[in-house]
Amino acid sequence: MINKYSYTQINVSSSNIHKFQILKPCLCQITLTPPKLIPNKMNSSKTLRKLEVLSPVPADIDIANSVEPFHISEIAKNLNLNPNHYDLYGKYKAKVLLSVLDDLQGSQDGYYVVVGGITPTPLGEGKSTTTVGLCQALGAFLDKKVVTCLRQPSQGPTFGIKGGAAGGGYSQVIPMDEFNLHLTGDIHAITAANNLLAAAIDTRIFHESTQSDKALFNRLCPPNKEGKRSFSDVMFRRLKKLGISKTNPDDLTPEEVNKFARLDIDPNSVTWRRVMDINDRFLRKITIGQGPEEKGMVRETGFDISVASEIMAVLALTTSLADMRERLGKMVIGNSKSGEPITADDLGIGGALTVLMKDAINPTLMQTLEGTPVLVHAGPFANIAHGNSSIVADKIALKLVGPGGFVVTEAGFGADIGTEKFMNIKCRYSGLKPQCAIIVATIRALKMHGGGPAVVAGKPLDHAYLTENITLVEAGCMNMARHISNTKAYGVNVVVAINKFSTDTEAEVNAVRNAALAAGAYDAVICSHHAHGGKGAVDLGIAVQKACENVAQPLKFLYPLDLSIKEKIEAIAKSYGANGVEYSEQAEKQIDMYSKQGFSGLPICMAKTQYSFSDNAAVKGAPSGFVLPIRDVRASIGAGFIYPLVGTMSTMPGLPTRPCFYDIDLDTTTGKVIGLS
């Protein structure tokens, strides 16, 4: 009997043994092999969902709650990720580990697409929704390998005035409530790390003020039970910075002990502030050290919102765990009284910060309503930081989709700040080049830029925005045209996504399309993804594919890094339409200091209002000939950029009279969140 059958050696992945079937009689020797990551090949049995859309479109949270997400392991399987490459956070979220990049090293990337927008109204023009809808179209309707890369939203705007950032309508990331709230704790880790460093700064100032050099050194390098002293590993970083090569604490001279142990921080120079992920205007300026045990060491400081922390920027711009450790250690918190920059590693805390951030460096895998994969990571604001999701998420995604696949990432606010920083900061550090840039436009915003009445969050729209007005639309297209021109200059094809609302007329939409093409857009496409999901963005998907396939130019930066700080600031100001820059006395002082400290070779991250090309949020359209005021200049050395403050910019938002939290509650019967937008 045994001679009747063939004898076959079959290797079966342990993650797929449940699928193994013997299709014909044979003698099989089954050898289990560890599951491997297969690069550039999506699972042939993709998990996708067909949406049944309703009209009118229900509330975002109601749509999100009406869909049962796939188990996240199914989404991971579609990307050919095996359980060794992610850690589960419940049923619908997983942390994708950086080991994926090691396993796919050398494999080719997919197409890289960035989504920006025209200068928005306070209501937002749907960039996140367009990003999600485009990816649903590419994955669920055009059968493309696709990953969406989004920032994690801050709880400040979620409970404040703007609401969440999971998309909207039938183009959302789900579970929407988990996406907009705690997610996997990354922002909490940033908050803890930031505030640990803040505590370390003030504690060091306190102890140095009350101890001699010898006492300070004895406490920093205490003897062990055998009476021997040693430096901790992080201390060697400060020793190297000081040019001290000795490895035994007892060998240091009194002068070296003084240099090593006494940071001599100038309290007036400290730029590091405490953070929390809530809008709280009353914490913008506070005093600390008022307790009797602090011996009268009162210092004025304040709170920023957590996503404005430099640690958030570090997370978004880092390329590896080792790189993050170096960036965290290099963060400058202020200066010594002699003008030397003081870093986190000088305080001995760089390693501890990395420990707090070790899980946050891994992107979070989620899904869209139609079952396409999403990587959520980092969340810096674009008006006060660089406003893009992480480099590591983009790099992982580009490897997973492979040649012919698409990675679509969003840049915050208008293209003048979000896309500009994506190109000049993020792409410099990542080495990645986008093939296509999308600019999201709405009739509503264009009418505003054409001279329409003010658009105010929480108030009904003026009649001008609800009825046809071609004149306003055409006048406002100057704003879109400048964004197209600026973005094309980077060497990418620009596709305008016209995010259509129910009140927009065909004539208005045609006016926008004609203006976009006249301004040099590769294409301009009408989208209805909010109302129809991926089906409403199929034309956009086709246009983006063609744009990616027909670009051959290298990436062109707006400025070279070897220009002076002022020259780089002025290059960006010129792109806004300014014909000059005015520096305050404080800004001049800071520029001079950073130049002397050797930081002038860093890129520039302008902190500017998102509501205008200029510094004045009330100035709409495409202003020109104005002077851009720089009131201060600060540095995020660990993250790797200099950030000028244009006009008055708040790093701690405030709550409006009627915050979003009025509508948010919990259905105690089902346990579902209601009212989240």
Side-chain angles (χ1 to χ4, degrees), residues 13-27:
S13 166
S14 58
S15 63
N16 292 314
I17 185 65
H18 63 286
K19 294 182 178 180
F20 180 70
Q21 293 180 335
I22 298 175
L23 302 179
K24 63 180 181 179
C26 67
L27 291 178

Side-chain angles (χ1 to χ4, degrees), residues 211-222 229 231 249-250 252 257 260-261:
Q211 299 179 45
S212 66
D213 290 353
K214 183 178 179 180
L216 197 60
F217 185 66
N218 286 342
R219 286 176 171 83
L220 289 171
C221 299
R229 301 176 186 274
F231 292 116
D250 292 327
L252 267 62
V257 166
F260 169 78

Side-chain angles (χ1 to χ4, degrees), residues 466-496:
L466 305 176
T467 56
E468 183 174 280
N469 192 321
I470 305 297
T471 302
L472 278 183
V473 173
E474 291 178 338
C477 282
M478 69 175 76
N479 181 272
M480 177 181 66
R482 181 174 292 172
H483 284 299
I484 292 170
S485 175
N486 285 352
T487 306
K488 275 191 68 178
Y490 295 110
V492 300
N493 283 330
V494 175
V495 174
V496 173

Side-chain angles (χ1 to χ4, degrees), residues 293-323:
E293 295 184 1
E294 282 66 58
K295 301 178 182 178
M297 295 186 64
V298 175
R299 183 170 72 84
E300 187 178 279
T301 181
F303 273 75
D304 295 331
I305 196 161
S306 295
V307 291
S309 169
E310 183 176 351
I311 296 177
M312 174 62 87
V314 166
L315 177 65
L317 292 172
T318 195
T319 55
S320 67
L321 190 61
D323 180 60

Side-chain angles (χ1 to χ4, degrees), residues 262-281:
R262 193 165 295 281
L263 301 182
D264 201 26
I265 298 169
D266 179 0
N268 294 323
S269 75
V270 174
T271 56
W272 198 265
R273 291 155 59 95
R274 287 158 176 82
V275 300
M276 63 187 304
D277 196 38
I278 295 294
N279 291 0
D280 192 343
R281 67 178 70 244

Side-chain angles (χ1 to χ4, degrees), residues 119-308:
T119 304
T121 69
L123 304 179
E125 310 318 307
K127 280 198 320 303
S128 299
T129 307
T130 300
T131 302
V132 174
L134 169 61
C135 291
Q136 290 181 170
L138 288 167
F141 290 87
L142 298 175
D143 199 30
K144 300 296 180 184
K145 296 169 284 187
V146 64
V147 173
T148 313
C149 289
L150 293 176
R151 290 173 293 164
Q152 179 183 349
S154 165
Q155 290 181 165
T158 296
F159 290 109
I161 195 168
K162 190 173 181 290
Y170 288 100
S171 295
Q172 292 188 58
V173 179
I174 54 172
M176 185 257 243
D177 55 335
E178 295 182 26
F179 177 90
N180 282 311
L181 299 175
H182 304 288
L183 199 62
T184 49
D186 293 355
I187 293 181
H188 301 321
I190 289 164
T191 303
N194 184 100
N195 293 342
L196 177 62
L197 179 51
I201 295 165
D202 291 302
T203 298
R204 187 59 172 263
I205 294 172
F206 170 75
H207 286 306
E208 286 192 20
S209 72
T210 59
Q211 299 179 45
S212 66
D213 290 353
K214 183 178 179 180
L216 197 60
F217 185 66
N218 286 342
R219 286 176 171 83
L220 289 171
C221 299
N224 60 18
K225 292 180 180 179
E226 288 76 34
K228 294 183 179 180
R229 301 176 186 274
S230 62
F231 292 116
S232 62
D233 288 343
V234 72
M235 290 178 175
F236 287 106
R237 294 173 179 252
R238 175 154 178 80
L239 290 166
K240 182 179 179 181
K241 175 181 175 179
L242 296 172
I244 300 172
S245 58
K246 297 173 183 177
T247 58
N248 185 346
D250 292 327
D251 292 340
L252 267 62
T253 66
E255 292 76 17
E256 289 171 335
V257 166
N258 174 272
K259 288 169 63 179
F260 169 78
R262 193 165 295 281
L263 301 182
D264 201 26
I265 298 169
D266 179 0
N268 294 323
S269 75
V270 174
T271 56
W272 198 265
R273 291 155 59 95
R274 287 158 176 82
V275 300
M276 63 187 304
D277 196 38
I278 295 294
N279 291 0
D280 192 343
R281 67 178 70 244
F282 288 97
L283 291 178
R284 290 171 180 168
K285 185 175 287 189
I286 63 169
T287 55
I288 58 172
Q290 298 190 70
E293 295 184 1
E294 282 66 58
K295 301 178 182 178
M297 295 186 64
V298 175
R299 183 170 72 84
E300 187 178 279
T301 181
F303 273 75
D304 295 331
I305 196 161
S306 295
V307 291

Side-chain angles (χ1 to χ4, degrees), residues 381-387 420-421 425 559 572 576 603-608 634 641-645:
F381 282 178
N383 55 351
I384 53 180
H386 74 284
E420 182 269 308
K421 294 169 184 178
I425 300 175
Y559 52 81
I572 298 172
Y576 298 156
I604 301 297
C605 182
M606 298 286 256
K608 182 184 78 71
R634 298 175 188 169
F641 53 74
I642 302 289
Y643 63 102
L645 295 165

